[in-house]
Amino acid sequence: MTARSVPAAFVRAHTRVRRPSSVPEVRLHVADDVVALWEAMEAEDGGAGETPPFWAAAWPGGQALARYVLDHADAVAGRAVLDLGSGSGLVALAARLAGARSVLASDVDPFSRTAVGVNAGLNGIGGVGVTGDVLGRDPVGIDVVLAGDVCYDREMTERVLPFLDRARAAGCDVYVGDPGRPYLPHERLTAVAVYEIPETEGPGLRRTTVWRLP
Ligand SMILES: C[S@@+](CC[C@H](N)C(=O)[O-])C[C@H]1O[C@@H](n2cnc3c(N)ncnc32)[C@H](O)[C@@H]1O
């Protein structure tokens, strides 16, 4: 089997259902033991060397962005939303709960795309489509781009920023949730909200900002 068609049963078998601390409205399949899950992913895909299971956690940037759209539903209500780097689908699901007309969740990882569908079903949320890498294209039919924790390394940031700029130039509203990663050009963004997101491991808080492209 290739990872192009990850069964929903895999996600259910290797995760637990939890509510992200800052977004208790949504339930997600998340991993307690990321290393064990990663090994299981490699076994599932014939040892193909998968990327880490980013999809099995609610990242601080995603939690902040999800919190923001739930508390500011007018940002997405009635609009077509792209959740870029969707991971678990947390932001996509929050956007639908906030009244988005439709949501497209984009992630390169086929495990993520299956997890988004499983998590949507878990929450009884429809209207969430999934797709792969859209960064080389222009956003079409999208009103709002939501990007939670996508600037986690330099290479990814260098691919994401031109896409976000093109989306903004095409008239989309663009929001980025970010826990202070160094690659994001904060000087050309506008902060619209700041949240203290509890860390997944440990008692600390992660100051996380929702930025908007002006
Ligand atoms: C740090 S995780 C954030 C997940 C989610 N947004 C959250 O905040 O919980 C980043 C995600 O970006 C995805 N990703 C990496 N490159 C991508 C690309 N070119 N297009 C879409 N997603 C990508 C990864 O697979 C991963 O799921």
Side-chain angles (χ1 to χ4, degrees):
M1 193 201 81
T2 78
R4 299 297 149 207
S5 58
V6 175
F10 178 91
V11 170
R12 295 193 186 99
H14 294 277
T15 57
R16 284 171 189 263
V17 173
R18 294 201 191 283
R19 295 180 187 271
S21 49
S22 299
V23 195
E25 296 91 333
V26 175
R27 294 195 301 151
L28 290 181
H29 285 271
V30 296
D32 286 335
D33 185 341
V34 170
V35 174
L37 173 57
W38 198 354
E39 287 171 1
M41 288 165 65
E42 290 193 333
E44 183 78 6
D45 198 32
E50 298 298 331
T51 52
F54 290 133
W55 56 271
W59 290 67
Q63 288 201 52
L65 203 45
R67 188 70 266 146
Y68 182 80
V69 298
L70 286 166
D71 293 345
H72 303 82
D74 52 319
V76 297
R79 310 181 78 192
V81 171
L82 173 68
D83 174 17
L84 185 66
S86 193
S88 65
L90 171 62
V91 175
L93 301 181
R96 276 291 282 166
L97 285 177
R101 185 177 78 244
S102 63
V103 179
L104 186 60
S106 162
D107 204 294
V108 282
D109 184 350
F111 285 90
S112 160
R113 297 196 294 273
T114 294
V116 171
V118 172
N119 285 325
L122 176 69
N123 289 275
I125 294 174
V128 178
V130 294
T131 189
D133 192 341
V134 297
L135 294 181
R137 300 187 227 150
D138 286 334
V140 175
I142 297 293
D143 303 313
V144 183
V145 178
L146 303 175
D149 241 313
V150 291
C151 295
Y152 55 86
D153 71 20
R154 186 181 302 279
E155 187 186 359
M156 178 67 169
T157 306
E158 285 173 357
R159 289 201 66 210
V160 163
L161 290 178
F163 177 84
L164 298 182
D165 284 337
R166 289 201 306 281
R168 184 71 194 117
C172 299
D173 290 341
V174 178
Y175 297 89
V176 179
D178 183 77
R181 301 196 194 279
Y183 313 107
L184 200 64
H186 305 103
E187 66 286 352
R188 64 182 187 88
L189 304 172
T190 303
V192 294
V194 178
Y195 299 95
E196 301 288 346
I197 306 290
E199 287 177 345
T200 328
E201 291 167 12
L205 296 172
R206 196 84 188 259
R207 174 162 287 233
T208 304
T209 304
V210 175
W211 299 94
R212 188 171 178 179
L213 260 67

